[in-house]
Amino acid sequence: MRPTAALVLVAAGLLLALTYLLQRGASPDAALHQRTLEALHEVVLNNAALQRDVLSARAGLLGNYDPLVRATAGLRAATADLHAAAAIADGAAAAGIARRHGELAAAVAAQEDLIEAFKSDNALLQNSLRYFAHAIDRLGGPPRDPEEPDVAEVAALASAMLRFAGGPDAEGAARLERSLERLAALPAAAARRDNVAAVVLHGRLIA
């Protein structure tokens, strides 16, 4: 979500420019200035809501993507409302505000594209997490055959996945991949071979 940081900076820059103009008395239309500040406020609020909901969705705590859709639509609408902000000033000041508004609109559009990609990727991730948990649960029982995977190795993989899911990082990803490789290399009875393959496949999709 890197464009989000850019969005905050652009919005802050636009707010500073408008505040400067107000202090200089460059805005005879107080109502227009108030609407502009309200629109900026909506940009900040919807951006904060978007960040919160993205984190909730990534953690599997969001039931659907409706909050993301609402926050994105709110950002788009507030940015459109700011189009009239250049009318607060004239000359070079108006051009500067128009430029900052263009940067804000571009940042919002880029973030919207990222959100759409995130929704698709996160749906696949959550599906893999659910399937991984189901498949590893079926592997977790005591082995009934010498060729079945070692329960300790299955437990180690489950632990590695929990650590990685709780805070993805390069070290956790490497630990998870090593555990997946060890499980994939173990012999498996025919009855559990499909579960082993599913665990390895979805584990690698998650990592």
Side-chain angles (χ1 to χ4, degrees):
M1 297 296 295
R2 290 179 182 175
T4 299
L7 178 65
V8 173
L9 293 176
V10 172
L14 184 53
L15 176 59
L16 286 174
L18 293 170
T19 302
Y20 175 70
L21 288 172
L22 180 62
Q23 289 174 342
R24 292 185 58 192
S27 175
D29 190 341
L32 174 59
H33 195 279
Q34 182 61 34
R35 290 197 302 273
T36 301
L37 291 180
E38 288 173 356
L40 278 168
H41 185 61
E42 285 299 309
V43 167
V44 173
L45 285 181
N46 281 288
N47 186 56
L50 193 59
Q51 296 310 296
R52 178 198 64 212
D53 294 336
V54 163
L55 291 175
S56 295
R58 176 62 181 80
L61 302 177
L62 203 65
N64 57 62
Y65 291 140
D66 290 348
L68 294 178
V69 173
R70 285 194 297 270
T72 299
L75 268 176
R76 197 185 314 115
T79 302
D81 288 343
L82 286 171
H83 183 66
I88 290 177
D90 53 21
I97 291 176
R99 175 179 58 80
R100 288 182 182 277
H101 178 266
E103 292 171 354
L104 180 62
V108 169
Q111 182 161 276
E112 189 168 356
D113 290 341
L114 272 184
I115 290 296
E116 289 303 312
F118 166 78
K119 285 158 61 178
S120 297
D121 291 345
N122 192 60
L124 293 174
L125 172 64
Q126 297 303 325
N127 180 66
S128 287
L129 282 169
R130 286 190 294 270
Y131 201 96
F132 179 90
H134 171 73
I136 206 166
D137 184 60
R138 298 190 66 178
L139 285 177
R144 296 182 297 273
D145 188 294
E147 294 185 351
E148 291 186 0
D150 181 47
V151 174
E153 195 61 61
V154 174
L157 174 57
S159 176
M161 177 58 75
L162 282 173
R163 283 173 168 244
F164 179 76
D169 56 28
E171 181 181 349
R175 185 187 301 112
L176 178 58
E177 179 59 31
R178 289 194 297 269
S179 189
L180 288 166
E181 288 177 354
R182 288 195 300 270
L183 182 64
L186 291 174
R192 293 198 177 188
R193 195 169 296 133
D194 288 345
N195 286 329
V196 170
V199 165
V200 173
L201 171 63
H202 287 280
R204 284 176 173 157
L205 287 174
I206 293 167

